[in-house]
Amino acid sequence: MAKFARKGKGGLPRINTASLPDVVFMLLFFFMTVTTFRETEQIVTVKVPDATEAVKIDRKELTCYIYVGVPVQQLQGQYGTDSRIQLNDKICTIDEIRDFIASERESKSEADRQLMTTSLKVDRDVRMGIVTDIKQELRRCSALKISYSSMIPL
Amino acid sequence: MARPVGEINAGSMADIAFLILIYFLMTTTMDIDTGLARRLPPYEDTQEKIEINRRNIMVVLINKSDRLFAGNQPMEIGMLRETVKEFIMNPTDHPNKSVIERKAIPGIRGEVPVSKGVISLQNDRGTSYNAYIAVQNELVAAFNELRDDFSRMHFGKVYTALDDDQQAAVREAIPQTISEAEPKEVGAAKSGGR
């Protein structure tokens, strides 16, 4: 017969936590490698549409973003509830796209300028009028590579 | 006299690591950027008319109430993909669908049929972006399926599994001819979103 010897008298033994920092550091390194920093704070709400054929944008550092959507609740008093364009961290008009593209282009290296992609992050409820205006403006600045940001439905 | 160095208390190491971990969780995002990659036509001041045979153009129009018309017929979005594929490849040699030209392409044995068809996508200022992307997606899907079929027939693999040279050859055989037309007003209430 096996004997079940009782260790000690009552009370659980202390769990060894010496490897806890290692585990947490591992998690930390995981998140550091797979995530990217948020570039901008969103001041317009954007829920991009679904598209099954969407492809990954391959060079993220060569991408600039144009957000279009309704301003967030706190800023609706200032900017209204109509769809607005957000460039960097502020609400802009159509005419400011030209300067935005020029400055974005300036920040890239000479060789990569042709490969710059403009990602249009447009809310699904926006009307096409404003998007068409943006597209015309981008054509005028010859920023022809665009990507209609969309999610691959799960 | 050498004294033994006392062990450093590492008990708070976990707390520090947690703190940094939480910082990274808050400031970073995990979302991968995906989107429909397109190329806009270059801007020209003078609109020169490019003569394209009428039968080679299929107009896909989305009106201001998100209704879809393809080749002058109202259509459900589920039908669009097949219609586009049939228009582009024209397997029955229909006189109202696109002209097929046989061409030799480097990297592919023999001559392959290359379609001259162009899909002209037109929308209204009042069209919703959701409907527009849904249609764009169907058009891209139609071309992707044609490319997959072609790749399977000639290389025995799907398009994405081919190497760069083969992909270029397939792209030449089935060019993605989606033209985004110049904007025009087709009786819509102008949206004031500027």
Side-chain angles (χ1 to χ4, degrees):
Chain A
M1 277 288 272
K3 263 191 192 164
F4 296 95
R6 270 195 136 176
K7 282 180 200 156
K9 281 219 174 102
L12 289 164
R14 280 177 68 91
I15 300 166
N16 185 9
T17 56
S19 54
L20 187 62
D22 303 345
V23 174
V24 178
F25 266 115
M26 215 162 67
L27 269 176
L28 175 64
F29 290 141
F30 170 72
F31 278 100
M32 279 174 76
T33 45
V34 299
T35 60
T36 49
F37 271 94
R38 286 171 216 255
E39 332 59 27
T40 47
E41 194 196 344
Q42 295 228 333
I43 46 180
V44 293
T45 46
V46 173
K47 190 169 189 305
V48 294
D50 290 336
T52 52
E53 306 300 312
V55 287
K56 210 177 143 203
I57 297 175
D58 33 47
R59 297 191 63 184
K60 216 170 175 181
E61 71 277 10
L62 292 180
T63 313
C64 58
Y65 297 92
I66 296 178
Y67 300 90
V68 185
V70 175
V72 290
Q73 198 106 49
Q74 305 90 282
L75 293 169
Q76 280 181 0
Q78 197 180 344
Y79 296 113
T81 53
D82 213 353
S83 303
R84 301 296 298 262
I85 303 166
Q86 178 192 347
L87 303 172
N88 290 328
D89 276 333
K90 54 186 194 300
I91 299 278
C92 294
T93 60
I94 285 279
D95 311 307
E96 285 168 83
I97 289 179
R98 181 179 291 267
D99 293 335
F100 170 73
I101 293 292
S103 68
E104 284 288 319
R105 208 175 265 158
E106 204 67 26
S107 67
K108 313 285 189 268
S109 75
E110 197 86 46
D112 289 336
R113 280 182 196 166
Q114 287 303 310
L115 300 168
M116 199 175 85
T117 311
T118 312
S119 177
L120 298 177
K121 284 190 181 277
V122 183
D123 190 83
R124 53 177 73 185
D125 295 325
V126 166
R127 299 277 132 192
M128 275 307 287
I130 189 165
V131 182
T132 309
D133 290 341
I134 293 171
K135 269 160 63 183
Q136 285 299 98
E137 196 62 34
L138 288 176
R139 284 176 67 191
R140 272 186 214 116
C141 320
S142 14
L144 301 177
K145 257 188 91 166
I146 61 163
S147 164
Y148 297 108
S149 185
S150 42
M151 294 253 275
I152 302 166
L154 297 170
Chain B
M1 195 175 88
R3 269 197 307 184
V5 181
E7 210 175 295
I8 300 166
N9 182 15
S12 53
M13 182 88 103
D15 303 343
I16 295 166
F18 262 121
L19 209 76
I20 307 173
L21 176 65
I22 289 163
Y23 169 73
F24 271 93
L25 280 176
M26 303 277 282
T27 54
T28 59
T29 52
M30 220 169 179
D31 56 339
I32 317 156
D33 257 329
T34 51
L36 296 172
R38 306 311 319 277
R39 211 180 166 80
L40 294 172
Y43 188 79
E44 282 139 12
D45 282 327
T46 49
Q47 281 300 314
E48 50 186 290
K49 281 257 189 289
I50 309 160
E51 282 298 321
I52 302 178
N53 192 342
R54 230 205 157 81
R55 63 178 274 197
N56 284 335
I57 303 177
M58 178 158 120
V59 177
V60 175
L61 176 85
I62 324 162
N63 75 2
K64 68 170 192 288
S65 41
D66 294 350
R67 284 248 269 296
L68 177 68
F69 295 84
N72 289 328
Q73 276 171 11
M75 189 170 288
E76 291 295 316
I77 190 145
M79 291 284 294
L80 184 64
R81 196 183 298 196
E82 287 307 313
T83 315
V84 167
K85 278 167 78 175
E86 206 176 299
F87 170 81
I88 291 290
M89 288 327 280
N90 196 3
T92 52
D93 210 17
H94 194 277
N96 281 339
K97 290 175 184 161
S98 64
V99 178
I100 304 289
E101 200 180 35
R102 294 197 77 81
K103 245 193 221 169
I105 288 167
I108 299 171
R109 241 182 307 139
E111 289 194 327
V112 289
V114 177
S115 173
K116 287 185 151 186
V118 175
I119 309 292
S120 169
L121 179 58
Q122 295 175 8
N123 65 274
D124 191 272
R125 290 189 69 91
T127 308
S128 85
Y129 186 68
N130 203 22
Y132 181 74
I133 289 300
V135 170
Q136 280 267 17
N137 186 47
E138 285 303 304
L139 295 180
V140 174
F143 279 98
N144 283 352
E145 278 180 19
L146 288 177
R147 281 180 181 174
D148 269 350
D149 290 348
F150 186 87
S151 307
R152 256 193 232 104
M153 205 163 81
H154 289 267
F155 301 109
K157 278 186 272 186
V158 291
Y159 175 71
T160 44
L162 301 178
D163 64 39
D164 287 351
D165 289 344
Q166 289 171 329
Q167 284 195 350
V170 175
R171 276 204 301 276
E172 201 175 327
I174 301 173
Q176 203 186 68
T177 45
I178 304 171
S179 142
E180 292 176 46
E182 295 289 324
K184 53 181 160 189
E185 304 275 326
V186 251
K190 205 169 171 176
S191 71
R194 265 198 89 121

